[in-house]
Amino acid sequence: MNKPNTYRAGVDEDGHFGIYGGRYVAETLMPLILAVEEAWNEAKADDDFWAEFHYHMKHYVGRPSPLYLAGRLTEHLGGARIYFKRDELNHTGAHKINNTIGQILLARRMGKTRIIAETGAGQHGVATATVCALFGLPCIVYMGETDVERQAPNVFRMKLLGAEVRPVTSGTGTLKDAMNEALRDWVANVEETFYIIGTAAGPHPYPSMVRDFQCIIGNEVREQLPELEGEGRLPDSVVACLGGGSNAIGLFHPFLDDDGVRIIGVEAAGHGLDTDQHCASLTGGRPGVLHGNRTYLLQTEEGQILDGHSISAGLDYPGIGPEHSWLRDTGRVEYVSVTDTEALDAFQLCTKMEGIIPALEPSHALAHVAKIAPELPRDHIMVMNMCGRGDKDIFTVAKHLGVGVTEE
Amino acid sequence: MSRPETRITRRFQALKEQGRSGFVTFLTAGDPDPDTAREILLGLPAAGADLIEIGVPFSDPMADGPAIQASSLRAIKAGMTLAKTLDAVRDFRETDDDTPIVLMGYYNPIYIYGVDAFLADAKAAGVDGLIVVDLPPEEEGELCLPAIEAGLNFIYLTAPTTDDERLPRVVKNASGFVYFVSITGITGTKSANIDDVSGHVGRIKKATDLPVAVGFGINTPDQAAEIAGVADAAVVGSALVKVITDNLDAAGRAGPGTVEKVLDLVGELAQGVRGA
């Protein structure tokens, strides 16, 4: 494949990144998707829209999030200088809020009065319920039945925030089915409803819209790093974990055209890529069409979608944002994977070394950092997105470590 | 592009000459098991089906309600695939070369099968048309245009949300018939309102000379009759699938009399349509 002049021009007007992306939705939804696209095109060209977005990013979310030199970890690994982009310090504890603020502002602009969302681990559900409380809009969150049981604290948080959590029993009762159910809700409630999708996937314009909201992560890194490392300094590498891939594309996109920046996305290998218990779509799946876009998917030989597995519920999605599929095929971004066990080790390492309890999602990114950093020179600057905090995961971790912790 | 001539176009022509509307059945391929599904399929024309839609099972049928979702999962569990769906059509064609067959489903299984191979195999098996729920006209290059080249009708869905401005775009490369989704919602969850349907069918007729079939919200012979009074055909799916569901035994297998009960309802619905 020829190298494009820029990796940042996408998406094209039909919603494609190369052969990926698109608008594979039922006709009932198509007019809505087109309306969202039209409203988004107007909003993103409107300075007032971005002023409102950045107002909330600063005063409500608490941005910019710090760029922090993980000194003890750097010393321990003995190679690259490791920086954490501290998106776990955002209000609600993860990067998800960047996107839900952006989308609810668009929903309000469109005059929509009812919000729906899907959630897996509950982080996006909480971030959506939060902005719905902030703006006083009713919120319905679809969540797989098994996740409702596994993520009881987040279910309670959403309810406290005034959201209605609807357990999804259809299909296999997981995140992909929650997304199916949200799409079914949208088809049945077209007039008043806005669907806040939680990752940079789905029909056009969602993948590029969510990316544009999450790009605040990478854009801040570009501004912050020179203050710490000298004028004009760019990272030598950036690393992020991927489920659907929204935190990763938000960190990566601003650096895609900087040839000197190595970019690495880390997928969840679960019990290992040689088993059927993983959710590494890019390294273990193949292209297909689901949830409105063409992208890499975990699927059978007959094109039936498979459920992923990861210790991290937030990476547990059988697809991936379409822009990542394109970046994989072009070779601009390296995609690797990390197992449950490696992520657990990294979780503990970070907690003890830095006093930061990372979510299991960025623990995957950190596990890969720990693999490659020792081999890199000491002047190599590596930025990893610490996209969520780990409080939500302590029960899962305790279980895997064989420690009894009572949820109270 | 010229519209392919198929059993669908011939059947609608014949219905027009008879001065009546058609009755279209939908059932999922291989539901609840391949043998029972085969018996039902072979019995449909005699029971009164003018056109047959066969659902291709998919793990994530996002436009379908609980009844058809469950049928899809049953069929997958029973080993049904797209290739075996084509086998079923080939088998049907050994005794029936007139009744039109439309495959209805989602794009991914076809994409994974391979578009060119699928179109060649579908045409050879005796398929006449395709309805692919998640391929709107914006993605017509994927399958619609190649299907026309291969001599198959590509049938587009139109919805209450498809306004007059958008309709010409949707029907531009449609052939065989146009399918009007009578409700804003998923299959089998709401009932169509006859006045609304009548208005929408009128709008579609202004945009195309193709026959208009109406589905998604028709459950009873009376409703089918009502719809047949304002459209060229009425489609019933979930109500038939529910007969299969209601007759499953404790182990989830087809209970006694399943085939007869499904075909009895087909007969009653067909009576409704023919009496309209």
Side-chain angles (χ1 to χ4, degrees), chain A residues 20-21 286-290 293-297 299 319-322 325:
Chain A
Y20 301 104
R286 61 175 172 150
V289 173
L290 179 72
N293 55 181
R294 182 185 352 248
T295 193
Y296 279 80
L297 299 170
Q299 53 183 319
I320 184 88
S325 294

Side-chain angles (χ1 to χ4, degrees), chain A residues 214-259:
Chain A
Q214 294 294 0
C215 272
I216 194 167
I217 299 169
N219 288 332
E220 284 177 5
V221 171
R222 282 191 90 97
E223 285 180 20
Q224 291 167 318
L225 196 62
E227 292 168 20
L228 298 158
E229 293 281 352
E231 204 174 320
R233 190 67 162 95
L234 290 175
D236 298 296
S237 56
V238 294
V239 185
C241 63
L242 304 103
S246 70
N247 95 83
I249 201 71
L251 175 63
F252 297 170
H253 196 261
F255 296 105
L256 289 176
D257 284 342
D258 298 292
D259 288 343

Side-chain angles (χ1 to χ4, degrees), chain B residues 87-169:
Chain B
D87 289 344
V89 175
R90 208 172 289 119
D91 173 52
F92 176 85
R93 282 283 171 247
E94 290 194 1
T95 53
D96 186 322
D97 198 31
D98 299 318
T99 309
I101 290 191
V102 174
L103 296 190
M104 182 167 187
Y106 297 79
Y107 185 38
N108 198 53
I110 295 171
Y111 179 67
I112 293 301
Y113 191 101
V115 165
D116 292 342
F118 166 73
L119 290 173
D121 292 355
K123 183 72 184 173
V127 172
D128 299 288
L130 306 173
I131 301 175
V132 184
V133 176
D134 51 356
L135 284 179
E138 280 73 6
E139 305 291 353
E140 67 188 5
E142 295 280 344
L143 187 64
C144 167
L145 302 182
I148 296 170
E149 289 287 335
L152 292 168
N153 293 131
F154 195 91
I155 294 134
Y156 274 107
L157 302 176
T158 61
T161 51
T162 313
D163 63 18
D164 288 343
E165 197 187 330
R166 180 169 166 79
L167 259 177
R169 177 77 189 89

Side-chain angles (χ1 to χ4, degrees), chain B residues 9 28 40 53 141 238 265:
Chain B
T9 48
T28 301
I40 296 172
E53 285 180 16
S238 296
L265 180 57

Side-chain angles (χ1 to χ4, degrees), chain B residues 11-24 48-51 194 201 205 211-214 218 223-235 269-276:
Chain B
R11 178 57 53 98
F12 273 107
Q13 187 57 39
L15 288 168
K16 195 173 176 184
E17 282 159 16
Q18 292 168 35
R20 69 173 178 92
S21 294
F23 174 52
V24 185
D50 295 306
L51 279 86
I194 189 65
V201 170
K205 291 267 181 193
V212 178
V214 174
I218 309 171
Q223 285 174 330
E226 218 176 32
I227 294 291
V230 300
D232 300 301
V235 188
L269 290 159
Q271 281 302 315
V273 169
R274 282 161 206 249

